[in-house]
Amino acid sequence: MEKINQIYVNGEFITPHGTETFDLISPVTNQKTGEVVLGDETDTKLAIAAAKEAFKSFRKTTVAERVTYLEHLHEAVSKKEEELVKIMVSEYGGTLKFSKASVKNAIDSFTNMIEVLKTFEFQRIVGKSKVRLESLGVVGIITPWNASNSFICNKFATAIAAGCTVVVKPSEMSAAQTQLLLHCFHEAGLPKGVFNLVNGLGNVVGAEITRNPDVAKISFTGSTLTGKIIAKGAIDTMKRVTLELGGKSPNLILDDADLEKAIPAAVFGAYMNSGQACIAPTRLLVPENKLEEVNALAKAAAALVQVGNPMNEQTHVGPMVSIKQYERVQDYIRTGMEEGATLLAGGTGKPDGLQDGNFVKATIFTNVRNDMRIAREEIFGPVLSIITYKTEEEAIAIANDTTYGLSAYISSTDLSHANRVAEQLEAGRVVINEFKHDPLAPFGGFKQSGIGREFGVYGLETYLETKAILD
Ligand code: NAD
């Protein structure tokens, strides 16, 4: 049984001052696999102090030096690619396919930032003035469990590119994944104090990062609820915040879409990362006169979805990360039935033969109205809602009738038609036909899906402070 009893401060693995422990539980078997000793406020203050000290010299590094550090990080993380995939599957329960893609994204974060640095202008002339984009300071990085190392790598790579130092607080449920990543970062040989990490609870370590006056910015990925707590706390010291929060993304199947292609893709898309994805297209908007055909295609697609052991290459949907998350998804499935939606596939309970782990049946509701809770709230499990529209205008109105605005998806055989619709959607990313990813394009939410953007130039700018010099 693994006991994780180390945090990383000022270039060293140290035993935390905190003594409380948190059990690590396999989502496949619900057996305890290890435990992590949680850091406390003292540990967090120590890590912040180390980052503050390191910032004094790190802010002065040249772009060429930062590129070298990013190259070392890339090399060190790449070497452990296979192990990082394995541990993501075993600790989190991510499917093998998703975990491979997620670790690849983590590794690519470093080269993406090198790419951005090639042309980024830290000094510009605006009007008659010199404008300098300067490193912000110590950045607090707080991350969730659903793609832990990928979030940490992306945020850390951006901080390095900007000349910032960091203190990371990962999800306590990702301690084993984080430990392996930490060893990669240690091997990369960065100056002491540039990277610090404290395992711990949100209301202890996260809260200290939020209130500490020596933290200049917080980059947070997680739920909208926690994002609001952090934003409220951060305002006392006027910290900059980047918040990547929840979503309830619409998937618009336009009248001219090829249903045979679009509907199966929509079903599998909704189940990306076992449904535990902030960008999952969970509201499927379809023309009312095509509902029967859509239902038949969606049901057939759901029958092909393999729920099961995440280690298996064929598995599409693995277990929910925890019993709590499993129960939450079950509650929503019951709610959908009580609200009068029609169950087209799946339902409550575990799939046959999968009684031990946190497995949920691949579920689809049809005849869903957009005012039902299952259409408004983020479920974070493999549950898709089919909603009909009469006109394209109504489809756009339904798509935008949500407190969220992270992603939106459109299927159409006419690209200019899809683009016209895309311009009317309130979402930080609109993806047309197939599930594409662009790591250099900005990523982030409209409305309650967040504040600010990550990735590429837009991401880098949020780690910098703007100074105009009028001489
Ligand atoms: P969460 O908000 O519960 O926790 C996220 C992190 O915040 C964890 O490290 C947690 O310990 C910490 N935290 C909790 N309370 C805190 C507090 N009071 N102060 C400071 N930190 C605190 O989210 P989760 O359950 O780990 O992850 C799922 C959520 O993350 C979903 O809502 C999902 O949509 C969201 N998410 C968003 C994105 C995005 O890019 N927009 C990506 C993935 C996940």
Side-chain angles (χ1 to χ4, degrees):
M1 188 152 316
E2 190 179 16
K3 180 159 180 172
I4 297 168
N5 191 17
Q6 285 181 323
I7 57 173
Y8 192 75
V9 177
N10 207 27
E12 284 175 38
F13 290 90
I14 61 168
T15 305
H17 174 265
T19 52
E20 220 183 296
T21 57
F22 178 87
D23 288 346
L24 301 172
I25 310 283
S26 159
V28 174
T29 62
N30 270 316
Q31 300 293 311
K32 181 172 168 179
T33 56
E35 60 183 29
V36 54
V37 180
L38 301 170
D40 60 12
E41 280 96 349
T42 305
D43 295 309
T44 315
K45 283 180 183 155
L46 200 67
I48 293 169
K52 186 184 177 186
E53 186 58 30
F55 181 65
K56 289 180 190 163
S57 46
F58 199 67
R59 69 188 306 178
K60 296 182 189 146
T61 47
T62 62
V63 168
E65 285 168 320
R66 293 176 199 170
V67 167
T68 305
Y69 291 136
L70 289 165
E71 283 169 352
H72 289 170
L73 285 161
H74 180 259
E75 198 186 327
V77 180
S78 297
K79 271 199 229 159
K80 295 281 179 205
E81 182 166 0
E82 259 179 55
E83 287 103 310
L84 286 162
V85 171
K86 249 194 216 158
I87 201 155
M88 180 169 178
V89 177
S90 63
E91 180 176 53
Y92 162 59
T95 63
L96 194 57
K97 196 167 169 220
F98 178 81
S99 301
K100 279 182 183 170
S102 182
V103 170
K104 175 85 173 49
N105 279 344
I107 291 169
D108 289 350
S109 308
F110 302 106
T111 39
N112 289 336
M113 266 303 140
I114 292 172
E115 203 51 41
V116 173
L117 282 178
K118 279 184 187 162
T119 52
F120 192 82
E121 293 178 325
F122 285 90
Q123 191 162 305
R124 307 161 188 181
I125 299 294
V126 178
K128 294 182 200 141
S129 307
K130 197 159 61 190
V131 173
R132 287 168 53 79
L133 298 178
E134 300 186 350
S135 319
L136 250 175
V138 176
V139 178
I141 292 175
I142 303 177
T143 50
W145 39 259
N146 64 331
S148 181
N149 283 343
S150 173
F151 297 131
I152 294 173
C153 286
N154 173 53
K155 291 174 196 290
F156 181 42
T158 315
I160 293 285
C164 294
T165 58
V166 308
V167 175
V168 176
K169 192 217 88 66
S171 167
E172 55 280 11
M173 280 190 275
S174 309
Q177 293 167 79
T178 314
Q179 201 66 16
L180 180 56
L181 187 68
L182 258 181
H183 283 275
C184 300
F185 287 179
H186 182 68
E187 201 197 300
L190 266 57
K192 281 182 185 332
V194 169
F195 183 88
N196 305 275
L197 184 138
V198 184
N199 291 311
L201 298 178
N203 60 2
V204 180
V205 176
E208 178 58 36
I209 290 175
T210 305
R211 75 179 154 251
N212 194 296
D214 290 332
V215 175
K217 170 194 168 79
I218 294 184
S219 179
F220 170 75
T221 297
S223 64
T224 296
L225 193 69
T226 307
K228 288 179 185 179
I229 295 171
I230 289 174
K232 281 179 191 158
I235 207 71
D236 286 338
T237 45
M238 215 51 92
K239 288 181 178 56
R240 280 57 180 144
V241 289
T242 300
L243 304 174
E244 294 292 350
L245 310 177
K248 193 73 196 179
S249 301
N251 188 356
L252 279 78
I253 308 299
L254 300 186
D255 202 30
D256 59 10
D258 176 353
L259 295 184
E260 304 259 343
K261 250 166 103 177
I263 300 304
V267 170
F268 281 91
Y271 299 155
M272 64 169 78
N273 197 4
S274 309
Q276 299 175 129
C278 52
I279 55 170
T282 48
R283 290 186 297 143
L284 183 60
L285 312 190
V286 304
E288 191 180 68
N289 59 3
K290 296 192 172 157
L291 182 62
E292 225 170 286
E293 194 184 347
V294 167
N295 282 345
L297 287 165
K299 195 171 175 162
L304 299 176
V305 174
Q306 306 243 4
V307 181
N309 191 328
M311 268 302 181
N312 184 338
E313 194 91 48
Q314 316 308 322
T315 298
H316 303 112
V317 175
M320 302 295 94
V321 69
S322 61
I323 291 188
K324 190 172 153 213
Q325 188 65 19
Y326 169 82
E327 292 297 349
R328 176 188 157 91
V329 179
Q330 295 298 309
D331 278 350
Y332 274 110
I333 297 174
R334 275 189 291 273
T335 301
M337 297 189 313
E338 282 159 20
E339 284 180 309
T342 309
L343 197 58
L344 190 67
T348 53
K350 294 184 181 177
D352 289 345
L354 293 170
Q355 297 310 305
D356 293 338
N358 308 319
F359 295 98
V360 173
K361 293 177 187 164
T363 297
I364 303 178
F365 282 108
T366 189
N367 298 321
V368 177
R369 286 191 328 267
N370 202 47
D371 62 355
M372 291 178 178
R373 279 185 59 206
I374 54 165
R376 304 206 74 77
E377 298 173 20
E378 186 179 48
I379 298 173
F380 232 53
V383 182
L384 173 65
S385 291
I386 301 177
I387 302 169
T388 58
Y389 65 83
K390 290 191 177 66
T391 63
E392 192 165 289
E393 204 183 6
E394 192 193 7
I396 293 164
I398 296 171
N400 291 337
D401 178 16
T402 164
T403 53
Y404 293 111
L406 190 58
S407 298
Y409 303 82
I410 300 174
S411 289
S412 168
T413 45
D414 175 350
L415 209 52
S416 56
H417 180 199
N419 270 281
R420 283 196 303 278
V421 173
E423 287 169 14
Q424 299 172 70
L425 296 178
E426 295 163 0
R429 261 194 187 194
V430 183
V431 180
I432 297 172
N433 293 336
E434 296 171 19
F435 295 99
K436 311 170 183 90
H437 177 54
D438 184 350
L440 292 178
F443 176 74
F446 278 34
K447 302 190 272 186
Q448 294 194 31
S449 283
I451 294 178
R453 294 291 178 271
E454 295 200 285
F455 299 169
V457 171
Y458 290 85
L460 179 54
E461 285 182 348
T462 69
Y463 286 68
L464 298 164
E465 194 67 275
T466 309
K467 179 192 285 175
I469 300 180
L470 288 66
D471 58 6

